[in-house]
Amino acid sequence: MACRRFLFLVLVSLVCVGLLIFVLRKNPVSNVAMKPSVESGHDAFPSLGGDVDLPKQSKLSLRLDKQNSLPPRNRDLFPNLAKDHITIVLYVHNRPQYLRVVVKSLSQVTGISETLLIVSHDGYYEEMNSIVEGIKFCQVKQIHAPYSPHLFPDSFPGVSPMDCKEKDDAERMKCHGNPDQYGNHRSPKIVSLKHHWWWMMNTVWDGLEETQGHSGHILFIEEDHFIFPNAYRNLQALVRLKPQKCPDCYAANLAPSDVKSRGEGWESLIAERMGNVGYSFNRTVWRMIHRKAKEFCFFDEYNWDITMWTTVYPSFGDPVYTLRGPRTSAVHFGKCGLHQGHGERSSCIDNGEFNIEVYDFDRVMNVKGEWEVHLFKHQPGYQAGFKGWGGWGDHRDRQLCLAFSRMYQAADTGLS
């Protein structure tokens, strides 16, 4: 009898295993898995397939690529990062007068010594490099985009000798390139904006030893974002509160989506469309973005943020809200008149003049857990359906963008 019961159990087990295999073959896990929570820390790599076809590197490109593996500096001064630290990524091009202002503002941020600052360069410029090397207030790591058009003066992704220019007729001129939807050929200086952002995102999340296994939020700022002293503590509070106060929020922002606004000053948290000044999200959200690599890389728009607003975020299905405080903790500045007006509260740098006011409430954490959340719906801005401003029609740029998406996927999964 015992033998018969044993054989019966074996047969039942085999039948169950067979049924499981059949179900999985009919419905792969990737197809039936539920949408992960934005707080889940989900870390599965989406498969994009295809080869990683990157341009041949110059000596400078190879040297910078190698330097990207160097450990952070100032570890002798700050040997330990806080357990709950939020890594800060500052991405820059070549505006040293702006970078000095941002670095000085970061040096005054409460809690900055607890975290890692990663500075991502689009191109190599001695003055920019020198400014970053002078940072002594936290651990700091520099990375340089090795395929920046600024590193290739006479070949793609820079300017190739036979490239079409402006509105050249490729067939008649016997030149290379695909025009955008408005008939204009690529400009390396313009396409570098989107290339750098996408290379940086893939590298920071998936290519650096320092961020491997980091499932928490990472904060992204630019060289023309002034950061207030309370920014880091406010962001930590927002990240802690987000799962309870706004579980469907994808991100936490330091500033309103309206770059001219200093906030409402209310006693409430704000949920609104995701802005591009001082934005942070976790690895789960990055995986959702990475799954839309083809949409990002093939949309004819040279601005990364407009591409995200009009193609990537709408593809998530739900509105992409971010959580922020009622007062800004970061301000976008730049040449007056470019992004901001000339009102008395506007903030800008022009000809070296600097006029961003820091008030007492900008120096202390002013995000409170007992506040309710005020939701802004139907805000103005770029939406799904916008066709883009162009500048991104050349198939070489699109393929390079896709190659950035596959760089570390290939390394992690063994894909060719």
Side-chain angles (χ1 to χ4, degrees):
M1 290 293 292
C3 183
R4 289 180 178 178
R5 282 197 296 269
F6 175 74
L7 289 174
F8 177 75
L9 290 173
V10 169
L11 286 172
V12 170
S13 299
L14 289 173
V15 170
C16 290
V17 170
L19 286 172
L20 179 61
I21 292 173
F22 175 78
V23 170
L24 289 175
R25 283 179 175 175
K26 296 291 287 183
N27 299 287
V29 173
S30 60
N31 290 338
V32 300
M34 293 180 65
K35 171 187 168 184
S37 164
V38 295
E39 301 296 337
S40 69
H42 180 73
D43 196 34
F45 242 127
S47 176
L48 292 172
D51 295 328
V52 181
D53 188 13
L54 294 167
K56 183 179 180 180
Q57 293 179 261
S58 64
K59 289 183 178 180
L60 176 58
S61 173
L62 287 167
R63 177 167 65 85
L64 294 175
D65 207 358
K66 188 175 181 179
Q67 289 179 0
N68 288 345
S69 299
L70 293 175
R73 291 185 296 102
N74 298 337
R75 291 195 298 180
D76 56 330
L77 301 175
F78 310 98
N80 299 308
L81 300 174
K83 186 177 180 180
D84 63 343
H85 76 277
I86 298 173
T87 298
I88 302 173
V89 178
L90 167 62
Y91 49 107
V92 304
H93 174 47
N94 186 26
R95 293 184 287 182
Q97 73 276 26
Y98 290 4
L99 181 58
R100 288 190 184 92
V101 172
V102 176
V103 168
K104 184 177 180 180
S105 74
L106 284 170
S107 72
Q108 304 299 312
V109 170
T110 302
I112 192 67
S113 63
E114 303 171 6
T115 191
L116 168 66
L117 173 65
I118 299 173
V119 182
S120 181
H121 296 263
D122 182 17
Y124 180 81
Y125 303 95
E126 288 286 355
E127 190 172 4
M128 299 290 285
N129 204 57
S130 177
I131 293 170
V132 177
E133 288 180 347
I135 293 175
K136 299 296 181 184
F137 50 79
C138 67
Q139 286 193 26
V140 60
K141 178 182 178 71
Q142 292 198 79
I143 57 175
H144 293 80
Y147 300 99
S148 167
H150 305 284
L151 300 179
F152 294 79
D154 53 11
S155 64
F156 180 84
V159 179
S160 301
M162 293 300 295
D163 277 357
C164 299
K165 298 177 178 63
E166 298 180 349
K167 291 185 178 291
D168 283 351
D169 184 320
E171 185 175 349
R172 184 173 62 84
M173 301 289 292
K174 307 297 182 185
C175 56
H176 301 151
N178 311 93
D180 65 12
Q181 59 187 308
Y182 304 107
N184 299 301
H185 286 277
R186 73 187 297 267
S187 167
K189 290 182 179 180
I190 289 179
V191 299
S192 70
L193 300 171
K194 190 168 176 176
H195 277 312
H196 180 212
W197 190 85
W198 192 239
W199 174 87
M200 173 193 69
M201 283 292 170
N202 280 272
T203 298
V204 165
W205 284 109
D206 299 320
L208 298 181
E209 181 181 349
E210 291 78 11
T211 51
Q212 281 185 0
H214 180 82
S215 59
H217 284 59
I218 294 179
L219 170 67
F220 296 91
I221 59 176
E222 296 188 48
E223 64 188 9
D224 56 359
H225 294 173
F226 181 91
I227 310 302
F228 290 143
N230 64 3
Y232 189 71
R233 294 294 186 232
N234 275 351
L235 182 60
Q236 286 180 313
L238 290 168
V239 170
R240 284 195 301 267
L241 292 169
K242 186 158 67 75
Q244 291 76 40
K245 295 289 186 177
C246 191
D248 293 328
C249 281
Y250 286 77
N253 264 75
L254 293 178
S257 59
D258 179 359
V259 297
K260 299 178 183 178
S261 172
R262 291 286 294 262
E264 299 78 13
W266 302 337
E267 291 191 353
S268 67
L269 301 172
I270 307 296
E272 66 168 354
R273 72 190 297 264
M274 188 168 170
N276 60 2
V277 176
Y279 54 95
S280 69
F281 51 84
N282 62 20
R283 187 175 293 273
T284 298
V285 175
W286 163 242
R287 286 285 169 261
M288 296 176 68
I289 294 171
H290 189 268
R291 289 189 184 95
K292 303 300 178 179
K294 291 180 180 178
E295 289 84 345
F296 181 89
C297 292
F298 280 80
F299 185 61
D300 189 8
E301 168 59 58
Y302 69 92
N303 292 288
W304 67 264
D305 48 0
I306 297 176
T307 302
M308 295 294 290
W309 286 324
T310 56
T311 63
V312 177
Y313 295 151
S315 71
F316 291 172
D318 301 316
V320 177
Y321 292 121
T322 186
L323 188 68
R324 64 169 174 85
R327 290 185 172 88
T328 190
S329 293
V331 169
H332 175 275
F333 63 85
K335 184 174 176 60
C336 294
L338 181 59
H339 290 286
Q340 299 181 244
H342 294 273
E344 60 179 358
R345 293 294 299 277
S346 66
S347 305
C348 64
I349 292 182
D350 194 11
N351 299 324
E353 296 182 4
F354 175 54
N355 68 339
I356 297 177
E357 292 186 77
V358 178
Y359 301 96
D360 288 342
F361 54 74
D362 298 322
R363 302 181 186 279
V364 296
M365 189 178 77
N366 51 26
V367 169
K368 297 183 179 181
E370 63 267 25
W371 287 344
E372 297 299 320
V373 177
H374 181 92
L375 174 63
F376 283 124
K377 291 185 177 181
H378 310 299
Q379 290 176 282
Y382 292 99
Q383 308 286 341
F386 178 65
K387 294 183 178 180
W389 294 113
W392 194 264
D394 199 298
H395 76 279
R396 294 171 297 175
D397 288 313
R398 297 178 175 189
Q399 292 303 319
L400 179 59
C401 178
L402 273 184
F404 291 158
S405 311
R406 296 169 177 144
M407 289 186 301
Y408 307 110
Q409 179 188 16
D412 279 15
T413 65
L415 292 175
S416 60

